[in-house]
Every structure is written in structure tokens, then in C-alpha cells.
Amino acid sequence: MRLSQELDSAGNDVIRSGGVLESIRLICRIFYSLNWQDLPEFFEDHMAEWMHEFEKYLRYDNNNVDEGECAVEHMQAAVVENASLYAHKYEEEFAPFLPRFVSAIWQRVVSLTLLPKHDRLAAASIRFIAEVVSKQMHASLFSDEATIRQIIDSIVIPNMFLRHVDVELFEDSPLEYISRDLENADSETRRRGACDLINALCKHHNLITTHICAGHISTMFQQYAASPGENWRAKDAALHLVIALTGRAETQLCPSKASNQLNVLEIYSTHIMGELASDPVSQPVILADAIQFICIFRDQIASDELLRVLPLLGHHLLNSKVVVQSYAAACLDRILAIPRKLSRHELQPIVNPLFEALFSALDTAHADHDERTDAIWENEYIMKVIMRLLVVSQDIVFPIAQVIAGKLCSSLRRVCTNPRNPKFNHYLFESLAVLVRVTCELDGNHASTNHFERILFPPFQSILQMDVAEFAPYVFQILALLLGYQDSLSDAYVSLLPPLLHPMLWERRANVPALTSLLQSYLIAGIDHIVQQSQLEPFLGVFQKLLASKQSETYAFDLLKSIIVCVDSTMLDIYISTILQLLMTRLQQHRERFDFCNMFFAFITVIAAKHGGASIASSLENKQAGLLSNLILHVFSPHVGRSKFVASLDVKCAIIGVTRILCEVPDFLTERGDTVPWNTLLAILNELLCQYNGTAFVVHERELNANNESVDIGGYDATFSRLHFGLKREDDMFPEIQDAQQFALSHLQELSTRCPHFEPLIAALRQSR
């Protein structure tokens, strides 16, 4: 309150007024922070005093304050944000003050100019009005058609038009323009506020709002038709108004009601397709709008029409404007991702031209990027649609796979020198992963796999030698994927193995998941070479290092599982005692952790399933008499029965392993006639069978599914970015056992026949099945 008096006494003193205004703004921000979580009792008791001052500040006007500093506008924007907070969170307490604030903020926003200095205040004010309009309890305040028309005429339409500063952003800062317009990072802009206000009006007054807006849309289209060169901003505003009315709230299953009054397909045929196909190209902003319109309403456009659109979008990939180029790529990506919209057969004639256009766009941008400061050649939208097109095309690209691989390798060599765009890089490696999978799975004689090794190893070796930390995890994932299609180690892989086992390489946490996967592939493809060259111990050294940290112990067990599966029992017996000692030491420190006990249990069952129940039982008994029984009673039963296996194949393996222990070495679990350990393990088996559906498991892998729009940088992480299409297939270790449940029941039946005293215990399980 004292600051309010100080502001009044400051009068036309510019320096003094500016300091007071800044102080008020800071107090408003403190007020916002204190009221964000909950309404404090003090502010609730003194709400009338605060609101009186806030309303006064909204009506404050002093033309003598330095306009370049925008002190008045910044202060008033902070006041409006406080009012928006109360209108949103504390509507009942704020209700007595709401009409006065609506009036004050309305008057303030219509008095603002379109100058950039007023943007923040305008956007905040429009958001406040949208917040109030969207509430059902305030619907009656805006039910009159004249009121809605006044809102649209005086607030929405003026703020929907592009200004000169926005056009400059389109030309000079295309990445920021794309971020605001295409990626909806424009919450602080006038146009976004106007669109949100339209959405709020449609929530309770849809018919009236749409009717009024339809008139404005028709008028703006007519203005553009009369003079396209002069009135192109009118068409831009009209298209964004259409999108605000229909596109933002529309889903494939639930179209918005406004669609009934605005014929989207008629607008497309009359006002969109012509812009896309025009030669010479129309105004770049309008072309970008047309492409965005198709992208938003792609579900409503017929498939045969989309097939006409795709080559046109391919043509616009070569547009000199980065915004147009990026919008065309983003639209292509979204169209190709529509489930069951376009078949592979329909796409076949245009796949090659699209690839040519995409790589030409990358090559041209790279050649020009030194001279054109607005063109960053690593266009993530283009690389993403390359990835998507590879997924869609699959076997269609087989004849040109080598050409595409060469182009991708060229891009890889360019980005190695200066990795700037993590999204572009991620999609680049995703594209390589898709190409490897498509071609190697179609090729039965390893020719494609050998070709990929020849062209990928040089740039990959450069990445590792240059220590490009961002790319190393990607390289390891692609190498693991490639090795998965080989049945032996090539010379290149043989020479690469010793450095992969060096402890320093495992110090970087980002490398661990991918390196673990790569070593697992080495074990599967080259176990004979590893054993002959005495490299199994370094593998176990890696396992020991990973086991020492909670962050990496999961990968330690993954690697150990592969060692158990790939190494024969004779060789495994040499190291099993040391492995058990390491695990038991770790278990003593973490026996209360469900996840560690679950992984330890999985390790026990893998050995039993692969090498027999007697193998693991005797190894444990050699460590300590009764150790297996103690683990079952005090570690596995309290933890494993209450947790779930994530992978279906792990459940199958666990069932087989537990069954083999129960049936092959029952004497270990029934010493001195005590059947509690055996019974407890049988109960765990019952829990596992409950997770098992009784049918043969299908081996799942990450499908090459173009209809998955989640293949996004959501998977990107600063520490480790897992390739969506780089995940290797998890092979079934026991393909000969089709039904694990039947396996368990039949072996238990054999045990009851061989040892009748187990029959009463087994009968209960059989009945529950």
C-alpha cells in the first residue's frame, strides 16, 4: 500500500516512477509464488485490500515513463497473472471481484497497440479472459451474442493477424517461428491467446462463436482473393481461425462441433490445394499455412487425395525457406504415420522420388549453410521423415538400400565434426537402425550385413577414436544390431572386442546399456572365439564392475544371463563359485531390495533351466550346506512372489528352472523330512504360473511400425538414448518347449510317480491349474 502512495507521489518523475513500478512488479511475482500452492489465510483475510490495489494498477497510465523499458506493461502483466491465478484456483473467493477485473482487463487489452512491447501484457490479458470464459459458472456473463461478437471483433481478430515482426521472425529466425507455430511453444504469444480464447468461447457458446467467426473467415478469404499480394495476411489469419475453431480440439474419434458449420474439406479444395500446387510458389507464409492445414486435418482427407499431396510436399522439401521445408517434412511424417491410411502398394511409385527430394534437401542445405545464416542444415524434420519413410517402405527400399546407406553415412560424417542438433542425430541413427533391420532380414546370405559392416565401420571407428561422447552409445547399439544377423565374428568385430572390454570405456554411464547389449551379441555370435582366445574372464570382469553399482547391476545380470546361456556347463563350472561369491556378498548388502532379489532369483532359474537343477543346487551346497533352502525361504519367497517379471520369456525361463529344481533335486529341499523349502518353491512356481497364460509365447521385438508416432525424441536422454528400432530381438532360449505350464505339470506328474510321497503336495497345485 505504501508503494501505491509512492507511485502517486512520483508523478511525472520518470526515474522515480520506473523504480516504483519495478518494485510493484516484484511484489506481484512474490504474491504469485506465495499463493501458487494454496490460498494463505492472510491473503484471504486481506483479499479486498490486495484486489483494490491490483485494480488500481491495471488502470494506471503514465506516458512519461520510458517506453523502451516497458515498466508499466511489465507491472500490469504481473497483476493480470495474479488475477488469472485467483480466477483459476480460487474462483469462489475471487468471485466478488471478478466482474471489475474482467472490465478492467478488457478495457486494457483493447487499448493496447500491436507493438512488440505490449505482447506480454496482451497475451496475459487474453489468457485471463479465456480462463474466465471457459468456466461454466461464468457462462451467463458471456451468453449474449453482442458480447461474444465484441470479444471476437475487438480482441480475437486483431491479435490473429501477423505483424511485421512476425514476418521477420519467419524470415530471420525460422527455428523460433517453427517452435512457436508448429510445436505449440507459443503460450506467450498474442495469436496463441486468441486461439485459446476461441476455444474457451466454443466450450459453452459454440454455435454463436462459430457463426460469428465464419463470417470473418469468409470476409478474409474474399479480401485475399481480391488482392493476394496485398491481403495475404488476411488469408493467414483466416486459416488460423479455422484451425482454432476445428483443428485444435479435434481428434480422430471425436470431431469438434464446429466442424459441422465449417466444411474443412471444402476449405481444403478451395483455398489449400491451389496454394500447394501453384507455380510459381505463393507467398511463403501462406504456403506454410496450407501445409500446416493439411497436417492438422490429415485424418479427414481421403487417401487418394493424400496420394496427390505427397509428391507436392516432396517438391516443397526443396523450398529455400526453412519454415516451408520443415513444415513439408513434418506433414509428410504425420501423413505416413496415420494407421491404415495408405498401403505400401499405393506408396511404392513415390517412395524413390521422396527419398531423392529428402536427401537433396539435406545436401543443398549443407552446401549453403555457410552463406545462409538462417539455414541450419541438420533439419530434424527431414531426418525424421527419412526414418518414417524407411519404416513404411521396408522391402520397397531393398533395391536402393545401398544408396540410402551411403547418403546416411555422408550425413553421419558431417555431423561428427560438430554435433549440434541432438534430435537430428537421434533420427539419423534411427534411420540407420531401420535400414539395417529391413535389408538384413530380407537378405538370407549375409551379403547386406557384410556390406553394412564395410560402410559403417569406418565412420564408427572415427567416432570412437574422436571420442564423440554423444554418438558412442548409438554406435554400440547399431553394432549390436548388425552382429545379431551374423553367426560368427568378422575380422572387424574381432579387432574391436579388446577395446570394448577395457574398464575405462565402462566408466561413462551412457555407454553401459549399449555396451552390454553389444557384448551379449558377441557371446551369441562368437562364443567359440571368446573361449579360444581366453576372453571369457574379461567378460566376467565387466560383470563384476557392473554389479558393484546399483545403477548398473541390471546390466550385470543381463550380461551374466547371456554368459550362462552361451557358455557350456564344463566351462561355466570353473567360474560359478566366484560368481556365486560375488552375488552372495551383494545380496547381504541388499537383501531387502525386491529388484535385486528378483534378479538373483532369475539368475538361479536360468542356470537350472539351461544346465539342470543339480548344477545350481550342488554349486550352492558347496558354498554352504542348506544354502538353497535358506535362499528359498528367506530371500525368494518374501520378495519374488510379490513381484512380477516384465518379459514373458523371463517368466517362461523361471518356470522351467524352478520345475527342474523341484523335480531333479527334491532331496536338497527335503532334508530330514522337512518339506517346507520344497513346498515354498512350489508356491513360487504357482505364482509364476499365474503370470503365465498357458499358451506358447511369441517372441516380441520392436516392430517396424510406421503408425507409431511415439517414435520421438521422448526416447532421447542426455545420458543414454535408446534407439527405438535398434532393440535387438530376445530369442527364446527354449523354443522346443512350447507351453511352460504343460512342461511344469508333466514333470511334477513324473516326480509324483517316481516319489509318491510328493503326490499330496503336487495335487493341490494340479487342482488350482
Side-chain angles (χ1 to χ4, degrees):
M1 313 310 170
R2 192 176 302 168
L3 281 174
S4 177
Q5 298 171 1
E6 183 71 18
L7 185 63
D8 292 337
S9 63
N12 294 327
D13 188 333
V14 175
I15 297 176
R16 188 177 169 193
S17 296
V20 175
L21 288 169
E22 176 61 13
S23 298
I24 294 174
R25 187 191 72 81
L26 292 173
I27 287 176
C28 287
R29 299 311 299 155
I30 295 172
F31 178 94
Y32 187 93
S33 298
L34 293 175
N35 286 268
W36 168 251
Q37 188 68 32
D38 200 359
L39 180 58
E41 183 178 350
F42 173 83
F43 290 107
E44 186 174 4
D45 294 341
H46 296 82
M47 188 179 295
E49 301 166 45
W50 282 94
M51 295 306 147
H52 173 76
E53 293 299 317
F54 285 159
E55 185 183 354
K56 176 182 175 180
Y57 297 148
L58 283 173
R59 301 185 189 279
Y60 176 80
D61 187 18
N62 189 342
N63 294 327
N64 293 315
V65 177
D66 187 358
E67 293 189 0
E69 297 293 333
C70 306
V72 176
E73 289 76 16
H74 288 170
M75 179 271 291
Q76 290 178 336
V79 171
V80 173
E81 288 168 358
N82 288 340
S84 295
L85 175 66
Y86 268 57
H88 176 66
K89 298 192 70 172
Y90 315 119
E91 48 192 340
E92 184 177 343
E93 294 84 354
F94 188 61
F97 311 97
L98 182 67
R100 300 209 310 266
F101 272 86
V102 170
S103 175
I105 292 174
W106 189 329
Q107 292 175 19
R108 189 69 183 102
V109 73
V110 297
S111 68
L112 295 174
T113 70
L114 295 176
L115 295 175
K117 71 171 188 174
H118 290 147
D119 283 357
R120 183 179 175 187
L121 177 56
S125 301
I126 297 172
R127 283 200 308 273
F128 169 81
I129 297 172
E131 179 65 38
V132 175
V133 169
S134 66
K135 300 285 186 180
Q136 177 65 46
M137 64 183 297
H138 307 312
S140 59
L141 294 175
F142 305 94
S143 59
D144 183 59
E145 181 175 350
T147 302
I148 296 176
R149 186 176 295 276
Q150 188 178 0
I151 292 174
I152 294 173
D153 292 351
S154 61
I155 298 178
V156 173
I157 299 302
N159 289 287
M160 195 67 77
F161 274 80
L162 275 184
R163 300 162 300 166
H164 180 69
V165 66
D166 299 317
V167 178
E168 286 184 345
L169 194 69
F170 181 96
E171 296 285 346
D172 301 332
S173 301
L175 297 184
E176 184 177 353
Y177 185 94
I178 293 168
S179 176
R180 287 184 178 186
D181 194 46
L182 188 62
E183 298 179 358
N184 296 330
D186 55 353
S187 59
E188 299 294 325
T189 65
R190 292 171 179 260
R191 176 174 277 182
R192 166 55 54 203
C195 291
D196 291 342
L197 183 52
I198 287 293
N199 286 332
L201 287 168
C202 288
K203 193 172 183 180
H204 303 296
H205 315 286
N206 180 64
L207 295 178
I208 298 174
T209 302
T210 305
H211 173 71
I212 296 171
C213 289
H216 283 287
I217 291 168
S218 177
T219 299
M220 289 187 284
F221 278 146
Q222 291 172 9
Q223 291 173 349
Y224 175 77
S227 180
E230 194 172 320
N231 296 327
W232 63 266
R233 284 182 174 85
K235 183 166 185 176
D236 170 76
L239 291 176
H240 278 83
L241 192 53
V242 171
I243 292 170
L245 285 166
T246 60
R248 298 295 184 186
E250 187 156 351
T251 66
Q252 186 178 356
L253 299 178
C254 183
S256 65
K257 296 177 182 177
S259 301
N260 297 327
Q261 299 183 57
L262 286 174
N263 191 327
V264 169
L265 295 180
E266 182 180 342
I267 294 174
Y268 164 79
S269 60
T270 306
H271 303 287
I272 300 299
M273 195 59 187
E275 301 289 352
L276 213 63
S278 65
D279 195 15
V281 174
S282 61
Q283 216 285 339
V285 174
I286 299 300
L287 179 57
D289 291 340
I291 295 172
Q292 186 181 23
F293 186 95
I294 294 172
C295 186
I296 291 173
F297 297 107
R298 60 193 181 277
D299 285 324
Q300 297 187 21
I301 300 174
S303 57
D304 57 341
E305 189 64 30
L306 288 178
L307 288 171
R308 286 182 56 206
V309 166
L310 291 180
L312 297 175
L313 292 174
H315 172 70
H316 292 303
L317 288 170
L318 301 175
N319 194 288
S320 60
K321 301 298 181 184
V322 176
V323 174
V324 174
Q325 185 184 87
S326 301
Y327 279 34
C331 188
L332 272 170
D333 174 58
R334 303 289 173 80
I335 290 174
L336 293 173
I338 304 174
R340 296 173 296 279
K341 189 83 170 184
L342 301 173
S343 69
R344 199 177 306 168
H345 173 73
E346 292 173 319
L347 290 171
Q348 186 168 4
I350 59 176
V351 165
N352 284 15
L354 283 179
F355 274 121
E356 290 177 5
L358 288 163
F359 285 114
S360 294
L362 286 180
D363 293 341
T364 302
H366 180 262
D368 296 345
H369 83 281
D370 287 335
E371 296 108 29
R372 288 165 47 203
T373 57
D374 66 334
I376 298 176
W377 80 269
E378 299 103 323
N379 191 317
E380 66 201 58
Y381 301 98
I382 291 180
M383 188 52 71
K384 185 178 182 182
V385 79
I386 289 174
M387 176 200 73
R388 186 79 66 184
L389 192 56
L390 285 168
V391 175
V392 172
S393 307
Q394 295 194 28
D395 57 329
I396 298 176
V397 302
F398 189 78
I400 57 171
Q402 294 188 14
V403 176
I404 296 174
K407 292 288 187 180
L408 292 174
C409 285
S410 296
S411 296
L412 179 59
R413 283 189 290 269
R414 291 196 289 253
V415 297
C416 282
T417 58
N418 184 19
R420 291 181 294 182
N421 188 337
K423 292 186 177 183
F424 178 91
N425 301 335
H426 187 83
Y427 294 132
L428 171 58
F429 282 99
E430 288 281 14
S431 299
L432 284 169
V434 175
L435 192 60
V436 167
R437 287 184 55 174
V438 168
T439 54
C440 293
E441 288 177 5
L442 289 173
D443 183 15
N445 58 9
H446 301 299
S448 295
T449 308
N450 295 333
H451 173 74
F452 274 114
E453 285 187 15
R454 287 194 299 272
I455 65 170
L456 290 178
F457 261 84
F460 283 2
Q461 287 173 334
S462 298
I463 289 171
L464 298 178
Q465 290 169 1
M466 294 164 57
D467 194 25
V468 185
E470 304 96 313
F471 289 173
Y474 292 126
V475 168
F476 297 141
Q477 290 177 82
I478 299 292
L479 289 174
L481 184 64
L482 267 175
L483 189 52
Y485 294 103
Q486 297 281 31
D487 49 21
S488 62
L489 299 181
S490 64
D491 293 340
Y493 274 102
V494 168
S495 62
L496 184 62
L497 182 55
L500 295 180
L501 297 171
H502 196 281
M504 288 301 296
L505 196 60
W506 295 82
E507 293 293 336
R508 190 173 289 159
R509 284 179 55 189
N511 290 343
V512 170
L515 274 175
T516 302
S517 178
L518 180 54
L519 289 193
Q520 288 178 280
S521 297
Y522 265 98
L523 287 166
I524 295 170
I527 185 60
D528 293 337
H529 171 84
I530 292 169
V531 172
Q532 290 171 5
Q533 298 299 316
S534 302
Q535 290 178 315
L536 187 57
E537 287 192 11
F539 273 76
L540 292 169
V542 171
F543 157 74
Q544 182 177 0
K545 181 177 180 61
L546 297 177
L547 187 66
S549 170
K550 183 178 178 180
Q551 287 74 26
S552 60
E553 64 185 13
T554 301
Y555 304 106
F557 278 100
D558 289 341
L559 183 59
L560 183 59
K561 175 183 172 182
S562 295
I563 292 172
I564 293 168
V565 171
C566 297
V567 176
D568 63 57
S569 57
T570 304
M571 180 63 64
L572 188 63
D573 288 342
I574 300 174
Y575 303 103
I576 191 63
S577 178
T578 304
I579 293 172
L580 286 173
Q581 183 62 48
L582 291 170
L583 292 175
M584 292 302 300
T585 302
R586 186 77 175 165
L587 179 64
Q588 290 174 357
Q589 302 166 353
H590 301 279
R591 63 180 303 164
E592 298 304 320
R593 280 178 45 208
F594 282 78
D595 56 343
F596 186 84
C597 294
N598 204 35
M599 290 185 289
F600 192 12
F601 174 74
F603 155 74
I604 296 293
T605 57
V606 168
I607 292 185
K610 194 68 180 177
H611 301 292
S615 173
I616 185 61
S618 59
S619 297
L620 288 169
E621 289 302 306
N622 289 336
K623 296 295 294 182
Q624 179 183 325
L627 181 55
L628 178 58
S629 296
N630 283 328
L631 288 173
I632 292 171
L633 293 174
H634 304 298
V635 177
F636 300 153
S637 179
H639 298 92
V640 175
R642 296 165 58 187
S643 59
K644 300 291 184 183
F645 282 87
V646 176
S648 58
L649 291 177
D650 289 340
V651 182
K652 179 179 179 180
C653 180
I655 290 172
I656 296 171
V658 169
T659 301
R660 296 194 68 174
I661 293 174
L662 286 169
C663 299
E664 294 177 8
V665 286
D667 294 341
F668 280 92
L669 305 179
T670 56
E671 291 185 356
R672 304 184 189 90
D674 182 9
T675 61
V676 173
W678 194 92
N679 250 347
T680 304
L681 190 56
L682 185 68
I684 293 176
L685 176 62
N686 190 41
E687 291 283 345
L688 293 171
L689 290 172
C690 289
Q691 297 181 42
Y692 185 79
N693 60 14
T695 59
F697 277 92
V698 178
V699 180
H700 292 290
E701 64 179 321
R702 190 61 60 94
E703 295 181 358
L704 291 178
N705 185 0
N707 304 326
N708 186 355
E709 293 199 43
S710 67
V711 185
D712 211 333
I713 210 64
Y716 172 76
D717 185 90
T719 55
F720 173 65
S721 298
R722 188 177 298 280
L723 291 175
H724 182 91
F725 295 115
L727 294 179
K728 63 186 182 66
R729 186 165 96 169
E730 184 178 1
D731 292 321
D732 187 353
M733 293 181 289
F734 308 97
E736 71 280 3
I737 301 174
Q738 294 297 310
D739 188 341
Q741 177 173 291
Q742 184 58 40
F743 174 88
L745 294 177
S746 62
H747 277 67
L748 289 170
Q749 179 61 44
E750 292 175 8
L751 175 65
S752 66
T753 303
R754 190 172 70 249
C755 305
H757 58 280
F758 283 103
E759 173 58 30
L761 303 176
I762 297 172
L765 176 66
R766 191 184 300 114
Q767 290 174 3
S768 67
R769 294 294 99 202

